[in-house]
């Protein structure tokens, strides 16, 4: 089996240095490997002794030893003490064994517990088409698209090459400074640009904050009824949700303390409670902060559509009253500009801002930079403020059109009051009517309504319906209400 002459003959054909620049021992190993692979060197063949081969090739013995050691470590050859080195493998020996003919492949692993939880919480975000009475979206027809695309093109034209790589996970600094100025002036926040962190919207702010601040099982107070997006993000982080009812002044702190005296976090929508539309009173804000301080809880303040106030002055944000660095203020451009931008921000204590930016780098690095540059230009030029002023007028008109239409055409089915702020109306159904059945019957005719009971966690639901108006022209609003009146003309649905 052993044939040193064969190997010797073959090895004499080796070119000691092919000029490739590779270390010579690697070139040598490569050529022997090729000879084995092509079966020019058969299994069991003894290779020339390193001393002899070194002499034949005019190389140092160390080079030959290094080549042999490399081949041995790869399994191509093996050495026997006192006998020399032998070819041990043919290519077919190195190939993976053929699969057993009848072996059934094992099933893939299941999703993780976390994955199952996360995917089961997903809620539809809608097609984006402004069908009546889609909620939570702004007016697409009044958005200054031409101005925006001009500013966007300008951002690309003037882009500094250093901005084409990865950017700061905390966001574009000039925009953060501009936002801080805006928030100090309009929401009386205490913040500097460095405390403002850009995110891809409130949903991401909530998701990452929940993951940074909460351990599984931690108690969180949440308004009942309340925002489903917040609920989902908190559940996904493993929080134990404690539903706290809302009265005419906002979240009932005394009732919350009775249900869970030591929450780790409290989630509120004080400017406009979602979905009831109540503004949290100053007294209740003070009570809530005092309670949070007494039990050491974080407070998350979701200020999602504070820009659209139609009467009276907006109350300062809760964050502006915070003296112990526990209130985290969330903002979004989903209502003031467009939801598809996926741009939002949060501001809170400096140590949290830094931690959040670090975590964000892990999750998605940073929001797209050029959109942030364009938004900065939009804000600095005064166009953002002008857009908000215009939208407030448009929305006031759309709201009163919806209010009048509902009172006129559906007054025997529901009652509705004007909203001081925001972009939806909440209509309460007459006693005995079922909001889920109401919305399902409307959906069958192409009308998108949301039942109030969907937003309750406790089960003690009031029966109402949410009507979005921001995205709809008065003509569409009137036609939609008339259609509803026809659907419910033969008697509205009652609980089965
Ligand atoms: C209560 C509340 N918060 C925040 C948002 C905005 O969320 P995002 O910024 O993720 O679009 C909405 C949108 O509907 C909302 O209703």
């Amino acid at each position: 089996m052993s044939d040193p002459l064969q190997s010797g003959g073959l090895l004499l054909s080796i070119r000691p240095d092919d000029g490739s620049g590779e270390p010579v021992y690697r070139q040598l190993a490569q050529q022997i490997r090729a000879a084995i692979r092509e079966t020019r060197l058969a299994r069991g063949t003894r290779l020339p002794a390193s001393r002899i081969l070194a002499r034949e090739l005019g190389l140092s013995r160390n080079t030959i030893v290094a080549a042999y050691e490399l081949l041995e470590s790869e399994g191509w050859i093996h050495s026997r003490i006192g006998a020399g080195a032998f070819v041990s493998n043919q290519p077919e020996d190195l190939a993976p064994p053929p699969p057993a003919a009848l072996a059934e492949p094992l099933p893939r692993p299941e999703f993780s517990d976390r994955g199952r939880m996360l995917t089961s919480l997903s809620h539809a975000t809608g097609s984006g088409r402004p069908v009546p009475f889609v909620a939570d979206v702004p007016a697409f027809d009044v958005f200054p698209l031409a101005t925006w695309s001009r500013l966007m093109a300008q951002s690309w034209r003037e882009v500094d090459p250093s901005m084409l790589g990865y950017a700061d996970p905390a966001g574009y600094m000039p925009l953060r400074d501009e936002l801080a100025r805006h928030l100090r002036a309009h929401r009386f926040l205490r913040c500097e640009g460095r405390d403002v962190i850009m995110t891809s919207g409130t949903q991401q702010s909530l998701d990452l904050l929940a993951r940074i601040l909460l351990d599984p099982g931690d108690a969180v107070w949440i308004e009942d009824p309340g925002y489903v997006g917040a609920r989902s993000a908190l559940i996904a982080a493993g929080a134990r949700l404690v539903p706290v009812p809302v009265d005419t002044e906002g979240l009932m702190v005394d009732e919350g303390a009775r249900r869970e005296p030591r929450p780790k976090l409290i989630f509120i929508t004080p400017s406009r409670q979602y979905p009831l539309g109540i503004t949290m009173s100053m007294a209740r804000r003070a009570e809530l902060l005092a309670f949070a301080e007494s039990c050491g809880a974080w407070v998350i303040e979701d200020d999602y559509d504070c820009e659209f106030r139609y009467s009276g002055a907006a109350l300062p944000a809760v964050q502006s009253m915070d003296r112990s660095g526990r209130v985290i203020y969330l903002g979004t451009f989903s209502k003031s500009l467009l939801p598809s931008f996926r741009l939002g921000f949060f501001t809170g204590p400096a140590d949290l801002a830094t931690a959040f930016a670090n975590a964000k780098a892990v999750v998605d690095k940073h929001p797209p930079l050029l959109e942030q540059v364009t938004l900065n230009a939009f804000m600095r030029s005064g166009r953002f403020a002008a857009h908000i002023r215009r939208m407030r007028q448009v929305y006031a008109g759309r709201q009163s059109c919806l209010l009048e239409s509902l009172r006129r055409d559906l007054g025997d089915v529901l009652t509705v009051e004007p909203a001081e702020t925001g972009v939806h109306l909440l209509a309460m159904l007459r006693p005995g009517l079922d909001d889920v059945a109401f919305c399902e019957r409307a959906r069958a005719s192409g009308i998108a309504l949301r039942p109030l009971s969907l937003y309750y966690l406790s089960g003690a639901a009031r029966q109402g319906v949410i009507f979005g108006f921001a995205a709809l022209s008065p003509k569409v609003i009137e036609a939609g209400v008339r259609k509803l009146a026809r659907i419910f003309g033969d008697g509205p649905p009652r609980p089965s």
Side-chain angles (χ1 to χ4, degrees):
M1 188 136 115
S2 170
D3 181 4
L5 283 180
Q6 181 206 6
S7 70
L10 269 169
L11 292 177
L12 284 177
S13 69
I14 282 175
R15 292 167 61 207
D17 186 352
D18 62 10
S20 64
E22 274 272 291
V24 174
Y25 81 94
R26 286 190 160 274
Q27 296 180 32
L28 194 57
Q30 164 60 28
Q31 294 177 55
I32 297 173
R33 211 184 282 119
I36 298 173
R37 199 181 275 123
E38 291 156 23
T39 64
R40 284 182 283 133
L41 281 176
R43 181 185 195 142
T45 305
R46 182 150 67 92
L47 298 180
S50 54
R51 187 177 32 84
I52 294 171
L53 189 60
R55 201 183 54 225
E56 294 289 348
L57 297 179
L59 295 172
S60 87
R61 192 169 165 213
N62 283 348
T63 304
I64 309 298
V65 170
Y68 280 10
E69 280 176 359
L70 178 60
L71 289 167
E72 186 157 14
S73 72
E74 294 172 350
W76 294 95
I77 64 173
H78 60 275
S79 49
R80 274 186 246 133
I81 294 170
F86 296 81
V87 175
S88 53
N89 282 306
Q90 295 292 33
E92 61 270 22
D93 297 324
L94 292 175
L102 294 171
E104 271 294 310
L106 291 177
R108 299 172 316 165
E110 297 289 327
F111 289 172
S112 66
D113 289 348
R114 186 182 53 239
R116 272 198 296 275
M117 163 80 86
L118 201 55
T119 50
S120 71
L121 288 166
S122 168
H123 52 273
T125 44
S127 67
R129 276 191 318 119
V131 294
F133 291 94
V134 59
D136 297 337
V137 287
F140 304 134
D141 54 336
V142 193
F143 184 77
L145 272 179
T147 306
W148 186 269
S149 53
R150 209 177 50 247
L151 288 176
M152 192 80 191
Q154 189 180 333
S155 305
W156 274 113
R157 269 198 310 276
E158 294 170 5
V159 71
D160 174 334
S162 70
M163 292 160 77
L164 297 176
Y166 290 115
D168 186 345
Y172 180 52
M173 198 62 227
L175 173 62
R176 294 162 67 199
D177 284 336
E178 182 59 28
L179 267 171
R181 253 194 302 279
H182 175 81
L183 294 169
R184 284 195 301 266
H186 295 275
R187 307 298 297 126
F188 308 105
L189 290 198
R190 299 174 188 183
C191 68
E192 299 296 331
R194 63 174 178 274
D195 310 320
V196 177
I197 306 290
M198 299 308 301
T199 68
S200 56
T202 290
Q203 200 60 30
Q204 183 182 56
S205 306
L206 283 167
D207 171 47
L208 262 183
L209 286 167
R211 287 201 265 165
I212 292 169
L213 303 178
L214 300 174
D215 287 311
D218 282 342
V220 174
W221 282 14
I222 186 153
E223 297 163 330
D224 193 40
Y227 179 42
V228 177
R231 196 199 290 177
S232 307
L234 291 163
I235 293 175
R240 177 168 59 83
L241 297 190
V242 179
V244 179
V246 175
D247 66 9
T248 52
E249 288 194 70
L251 179 121
M252 297 171 71
V253 177
D254 51 354
E255 182 56 27
R258 208 181 54 70
R259 294 182 181 197
E260 170 52 66
R262 293 193 61 78
K264 192 163 183 187
L265 192 152
I266 300 171
F267 174 81
I268 47 172
T269 49
S271 285
R272 183 178 199 229
Q273 201 280 329
Y274 192 95
L276 297 179
I278 291 153
T279 302
M280 188 184 266
S281 69
M282 283 307 278
R284 191 61 64 78
R285 291 169 192 234
E287 187 188 354
L288 179 102
L289 270 181
F291 173 80
E293 285 173 6
S294 74
C295 70
W298 289 100
V299 176
I300 292 186
E301 173 179 24
D302 178 2
D303 212 21
Y304 60 103
D305 63 3
C306 56
E307 291 89 359
F308 304 118
R309 172 159 282 279
Y310 311 109
S311 59
L315 292 182
V318 174
Q319 197 265 8
S320 69
M321 302 160 67
D322 178 22
R323 53 186 187 121
S324 56
R326 67 188 59 249
V327 179
I328 305 161
Y329 176 96
L330 310 187
T332 178
F333 291 98
S334 289
K335 298 279 173 71
S336 53
L337 294 175
L338 295 174
S340 59
F341 282 168
R342 301 317 300 141
L343 273 180
F345 59 90
F346 89 90
T347 176
D351 55 341
L352 178 66
T354 308
F356 190 99
N358 291 343
K360 188 159 164 51
V362 176
V363 172
D364 67 352
K365 296 205 163 80
H366 61 80
L369 186 60
L370 265 288
E371 274 78 358
Q372 295 182 67
V373 173
T374 307
L375 177 55
N376 184 45
F378 194 72
M379 292 187 82
R380 278 187 187 221
S381 61
R383 291 183 174 95
F384 180 71
H387 176 63
I388 297 297
R389 278 196 301 276
R390 173 151 187 239
M391 298 319 293
R392 214 176 278 143
Q393 273 185 355
V394 170
Y395 291 162
R398 291 181 178 187
Q399 181 188 169
S400 54
C401 170
L402 175 62
L403 192 67
E404 280 166 26
S405 303
L406 288 175
R407 285 178 169 167
R408 186 183 58 234
D409 298 336
L410 283 167
D412 53 342
V413 180
L414 46 80
T415 56
V416 59
E417 296 303 324
E420 282 179 356
T421 163
V423 290
H424 72 247
L425 282 179
L426 174 63
M428 302 311 295
L429 292 184
R430 298 257 179 231
L433 299 184
D434 180 69
D435 60 4
V436 172
F438 189 97
C439 295
E440 270 170 12
R441 212 154 119 191
R443 180 166 303 120
S445 299
I447 295 199
L449 293 174
R450 290 205 204 139
L452 174 61
S453 57
L454 185 86
Y455 296 87
Y456 281 86
L457 253 189
S458 60
R462 291 160 70 196
Q463 303 293 303
V465 175
I466 289 160
F467 286 83
F469 56 76
L472 313 170
S473 70
K475 239 168 90 182
V476 173
I477 291 173
E478 284 171 356
V481 174
R482 274 200 305 274
K483 191 166 179 182
L484 273 181
R486 279 196 302 278
I487 297 171
F488 296 114
D490 54 349
R494 295 173 186 281
S496 42

